[in-house]
Amino acid sequence: MELIRIMAICVICLPAVLLVKKAAPEQALLLTAAAVLVVGLGCLSLVMPAVEQLRDLFTRAGLESSYVAILLKTLAAAAVTRLCADLCRDGGSQALGSAVELAGAGASLLIAIPLLQAVTELLQGYFT
């Protein structure tokens, strides 16, 4: 049901954005950003059950819950990066969109370093 609400918000906002874009492109960009924020908050309610299942799965596997946090932070960084880059491109700046994607890739790598360290330690344990 939440997915249908999210899609409805997007479909309702699209004509408004297109109409405003002709007269005031900067206001259309702000309207788009506001719609993205509302949709993003709506997506949280869709994702929360999956997050709980993921935490339960990690707990049953005997893995630290901090790994789930790392995974979720990386996913959030990717989603925010994609949305921000698309907003930059909608605003007419391909270069800013590419810069945001580059920054997002760097941030994701930094977030994932503890997970990569854990995997490396695990592999070293198997080989020694």
Side-chain angles (χ1 to χ4, degrees), residues 37-112:
L37 180 65
V38 169
V39 167
L41 292 174
C43 286
L44 287 178
S45 66
L46 284 174
V47 173
M48 289 313 292
V51 169
E52 292 305 319
Q53 287 180 342
L54 192 60
R55 285 185 187 186
D56 183 50
L57 182 65
F58 271 58
T59 302
R60 284 190 282 152
L63 299 172
E64 292 182 33
S65 62
S66 62
Y67 297 151
V68 176
I70 293 169
L71 186 64
L72 293 176
K73 286 178 187 178
T74 306
L75 179 63
V80 169
T81 297
R82 176 68 189 259
L83 291 172
C84 187
D86 285 346
L87 281 173
C88 289
R89 289 189 178 100
D90 282 351
S93 180
Q94 295 289 328
L96 285 177
S98 295
V100 167
E101 287 177 343
L102 184 61
S108 293
L109 179 62
L110 287 174
I111 293 168

Side-chain angles (χ1 to χ4, degrees), residues 10-35:
C10 293
V11 169
I12 290 169
C13 285
L14 183 59
V17 168
L18 293 174
L19 287 173
V20 172
K21 194 173 197 173
K22 291 179 183 176
E26 63 280 351
Q27 290 178 352
L29 185 62
L30 290 175
L31 180 60
T32 301

